[in-house]
Amino acid sequence: MAAVIIGLVQIVWAAAAGSGGERSLAYLMGPRDEPKPVGVTAGRLNRALGNFLETFPLFAAALLVCLAAGKLGTATYWGSILYVVARAVFVPVYAAGIPVVRTLVWAVSMVGIIMVVVAFFQ
């Protein structure tokens, strides 16, 4: 559930930040047929959200498969903790534009997913 909450926070944060740049309230409430530029931070938050939307389905599927197979244990627990904590840290680090740390935090989240996948095969 924590990962879902992180995703919801990211959606709201990216949407709120997206109101900057050359975007007016009328544009945001309309069909957005023509792309409008946003500020640097809003762009980073949108990319962080896109990255979350790429990784979360993999994490959720791996965890659900482990649950269905009765393979929940220490590895799935710690893998889940790594994923959730890293994803929570990733967003503000990315928004702040800290390049190396951002990549390391992303790698930790990937290790968390890999731990859950490996637990299925044990």
Side-chain angles (χ1 to χ4, degrees), residues 12-38 42 46:
V12 171
W13 196 4
S19 63
E22 295 182 25
R23 295 173 167 201
S24 65
L25 185 58
Y27 172 79
L28 293 173
M29 294 179 68
R32 302 180 191 186
D33 292 330
E34 293 182 24
K36 301 271 186 182
V38 295
N46 281 329

Side-chain angles (χ1 to χ4, degrees), residues 11-83:
I11 289 169
V12 171
W13 196 4
S19 63
E22 295 182 25
R23 295 173 167 201
S24 65
L25 185 58
Y27 172 79
L28 293 173
M29 294 179 68
R32 302 180 191 186
D33 292 330
E34 293 182 24
K36 301 271 186 182
V38 295
V40 172
T41 302
R44 290 177 184 159
L45 289 170
N46 281 329
R47 290 188 298 277
L49 175 59
N51 183 265
F52 176 80
L53 295 174
E54 291 171 350
T55 63
F56 179 72
L58 300 174
F59 169 71
L63 200 54
L64 288 172
V65 168
C66 284
L67 174 64
K71 302 232 178 171
L72 295 180
T74 305
T76 54
Y77 174 79
W78 287 109
S80 297
I81 295 293
L82 278 178
Y83 178 77

